[in-house]
Amino acid sequence: MNAVADDLLRLVWLIPVLPLLAVVVTAARVLLGRAQGDAAEGPTARLLSLAAFGSLALLLAIDALALQQGVPGHRVLGVWFATDEWQASFSFLLDGLSLPVATLAAVIGWLVVRFSAGYLHREAGFHRFFMVLGFFLSGLQLVLLAGNGVLAFVGWEMCGVASFLLIGYAWQRPVAIGNALYAFVVNRTGDAGLLFALGLSAAWVGSFEWPALAGAELTLVEARVLLLGFVVAALVKSAQLPFTPWIARALEGPTPSSAIFYGALLVHAGVYLLLRIEPLLAQVPDLMLALVVAGAATAAYAWLCGLVQTDVKSALIFATVFQVGLMFVEIGLGWSTAATVHLVLHAAWRTWHFLLAPSWLAVTRERPAPPPAWLARSQTLYTAALQRFWLDRLAQVLFVQPTESFARDLRRFEEGFVDRALGEPGRGRAVQPERPLVCADGLPGTALAAVAGVLQRVENRLLLRGRGGAAERLLVRAGDWLQTLEGLLEQPRYLMMAVMATFVVIL
């Protein structure tokens, strides 16, 4: 590979950085008061459009180089942090999987930016939308091009934050904020699975790099446990059962974000993650079978629910989940090439569908088809499809309510324990100003009052006696602490946590 090619590949870091620079510049304009009125919309849209096109142009140049000289492969640009056992590097993996998907993502991203400029004209959150969209495009390219799991996790989290912000784009509406929180909480389960897998990668493989993980020599048990974290992360991010309900709530965001997030790109991130670790996944047949079962069940669920939808975006999102479920089946059967082609074609096709959704009725002049007769005749199945098999309520009980309870417990702990321990003003009993024991005039009276005051302080504070003294305040405060802790520990979830912790220690 010649010097020109090497120089080009050294610039690969610009692909995720260019949209991020556009975000920084737009944020500076907003803070400086230069993003007000209709005239300010053009520079914001053009800036992100130029950044997205720059990323696309750089990817196309690398694609041309790959066609001429072969794929560049794994490129390490520097070390991020390291220990004696492992290191996390700034590395990129440019191969036959990442380059086509990343190029398609860049094309879709650029087109959605151009579409959004007109669609969101005169919206109150115009500049905020473009900042979040640029943040997402940066994170997505990190997920697709990262050469190791740690750098991919950074992009994974960036996409999650952007998703949360755009679902709650209309922050004045309680439904939008509630759905954003719902999706955010459920997706944290997938983040926990990915972190779990990366931690085991450091301990058992000694590396986070994707090529090292693909070629790792692990026992069957180690490979199964490590891959379990990746599989959970993939199931959540791609809205597969039992985590499917969050994606229907995510449609609260503007149509362009629905198109690029849940129709085209972000919903396929779980599929891409499994394709990236496919060589290691092939070593564990039972997990491959589990992917087939999960994908088939999700496809059946999405198909039935999609038959009873009456609005365009809901019908499209269930069609999307159906196709992604089939991709999981393909990966489970070992058809990784078919899954990759399916991903690319479906992402392009579904983007067009979602962007057309606002004008669908005007273009087609058709109404959604009624449910088929066989489904309408089965009252039980029809009701279950309308209720989406009650998975939304189940997810509320399993994920959202425990998180809300934990948040309330943390608040109680802060108010009843931390605030009292720190002596925050306004908490607990009000401190009364100390009055002198004896009030007198003249030198003898003043001396007597001083001696009496000293004796009072010795008695109440040093000897810990007297009502309202330091001893009583300390005991009252300790009692409040213990009562707060006792109330928390009586909750069943904390008893289960204690049992699990004891089990882990014993192991």
Side-chain angles (χ1 to χ4, degrees):
M1 194 169 291
N2 55 39
V4 176
D6 285 337
D7 292 339
L8 176 64
L9 294 176
R10 290 194 188 98
L11 297 177
V12 66
W13 58 273
L14 282 174
I15 297 173
V17 168
L18 284 176
L20 202 58
L21 289 177
V23 173
V24 173
V25 174
T26 302
R29 293 179 61 241
V30 171
L31 291 175
L32 294 174
R34 297 182 180 178
Q36 298 177 358
D38 293 352
E41 292 183 357
T44 295
R46 285 193 295 270
L47 181 61
L48 184 56
S49 178
L50 182 62
F53 184 78
S55 297
L56 173 60
L58 189 53
L59 271 168
L60 290 175
I62 295 176
D63 291 340
L65 179 65
L67 290 175
Q68 293 177 359
Q69 305 181 17
V71 293
H74 192 242
R75 308 286 297 188
V76 179
L77 303 184
V79 176
W80 185 1
F81 58 88
T83 69
D84 294 336
E85 291 79 20
W86 45 263
Q87 70 176 22
S89 61
F90 287 105
S91 62
F92 293 87
L93 183 55
L94 309 174
D95 60 4
L97 173 62
S98 63
L99 287 178
V101 179
T103 303
L104 176 67
V107 171
I108 292 175
W110 178 58
L111 293 176
V112 169
V113 170
R114 299 291 301 272
F115 177 87
S116 302
Y119 186 84
L120 292 167
H121 177 53
R122 291 185 176 176
E123 282 282 341
F126 184 92
H127 305 284
R128 172 163 50 92
F129 175 88
F130 276 84
M131 285 190 289
V132 178
L133 182 58
F135 191 74
F136 166 76
L137 293 177
S138 177
L140 183 67
Q141 291 296 348
L142 275 181
V143 171
L144 299 178
L145 298 176
N148 60 80
V150 175
L151 197 58
F153 180 75
V154 174
W156 191 276
E157 287 301 293
M158 291 172 66
C159 292
V161 171
S163 174
F164 167 75
L165 292 175
L166 285 184
I167 296 172
Y169 173 78
W171 54 269
Q172 305 90 340
R173 300 177 56 215
V175 173
I177 296 301
N179 288 351
L181 290 172
Y182 184 98
F184 185 80
V185 168
V186 175
N187 274 274
R188 298 295 69 76
T189 304
D191 297 347
L194 187 52
L195 279 176
F196 175 77
L198 293 176
L200 293 183
S201 300
W204 293 344
V205 181
S207 175
F208 302 108
E209 305 298 319
W210 293 132
L213 285 175
E217 296 181 1
L218 300 173
T219 65
L220 184 59
V221 174
E222 290 175 341
R224 183 182 293 114
V225 175
L226 187 149
L227 285 171
L228 185 61
F230 286 121
V231 169
V232 169
L235 290 174
V236 176
K237 190 65 77 175
S238 290
Q240 300 296 287
L241 289 177
F243 308 102
T244 310
W246 73 265
I247 198 167
R249 290 174 174 253
L251 297 179
E252 281 294 328
T255 294
S257 65
S258 297
I260 196 170
F261 279 47
Y262 315 113
L265 300 179
L266 188 60
V267 72
H268 295 102
V271 177
Y272 182 85
L273 178 63
L274 294 181
L275 289 173
R276 177 54 68 201
I277 59 171
E278 192 271 338
L280 186 59
L281 189 63
Q283 302 176 21
V284 188
D286 51 350
L287 276 182
M288 300 277 282
L289 178 61
L291 290 178
V292 173
V293 173
T298 304
Y301 164 83
W303 174 60
L304 288 171
C305 292
L307 291 175
V308 298
Q309 301 305 309
T310 57
D311 64 283
V312 177
K313 288 179 71 173
S314 294
L316 286 176
I317 202 63
F318 281 109
T320 298
V321 173
F322 174 82
Q323 295 292 336
V324 175
L326 295 183
M327 295 176 204
F328 272 74
V329 173
E330 292 163 357
I331 294 173
L333 294 175
W335 302 342
S336 57
T337 302
T340 304
V341 174
H342 193 174
L343 185 159
V344 171
L345 294 178
H346 178 254
W349 180 247
R350 199 61 71 192
T351 301
W352 181 77
H353 278 165
F354 268 93
L355 295 182
L356 185 64
S359 55
W360 183 83
L361 290 176
V363 173
T364 63
R365 300 185 182 277
E366 297 179 1
R367 294 187 177 276
W374 62 265
L375 182 59
R377 286 194 300 267
S378 177
Q379 189 64 35
T380 302
L381 188 58
Y382 183 75
T383 302
L386 279 176
Q387 297 295 328
R388 300 177 183 178
F389 291 85
W390 297 275
L391 284 183
D392 192 84
R393 176 59 183 168
L394 181 61
Q396 185 81 17
V397 172
L398 293 180
F399 298 108
V400 179
Q401 289 183 358
T403 303
E404 291 176 345
S405 299
F406 185 69
R408 286 194 297 268
D409 292 340
L410 285 179
R411 183 172 181 177
R412 288 176 54 199
F413 177 77
E414 181 180 358
E415 292 179 349
F417 188 87
V418 177
D419 288 342
R420 294 178 184 274
L422 297 177
E424 180 180 345
R427 302 292 185 185
R429 299 189 176 189
V431 179
Q432 299 294 332
E434 194 172 299
R435 296 185 304 168
L437 183 62
V438 178
C439 297
D441 296 328
L443 182 59
T446 302
L448 179 61
V451 172
V454 171
L455 292 177
Q456 183 188 21
R457 287 193 293 271
V458 170
E459 180 180 14
N460 290 340
R461 299 184 181 181
L462 298 183
L463 299 181
L464 303 179
R465 295 176 183 173
R467 183 170 180 79
E472 183 181 3
R473 290 196 298 272
L474 180 61
L475 291 175
V476 170
R477 183 175 296 178
D480 292 337
W481 294 346
L482 293 175
Q483 187 175 6
T484 300
L485 288 175
E486 182 182 7
L488 292 174
L489 293 176
E490 286 177 353
Q491 300 294 327
R493 53 184 171 275
Y494 295 105
L495 293 177
M496 290 300 299
M497 290 174 61
V499 172
M500 294 174 62
T502 304
F503 181 73
V504 171
V505 171
I506 292 175
L507 291 179

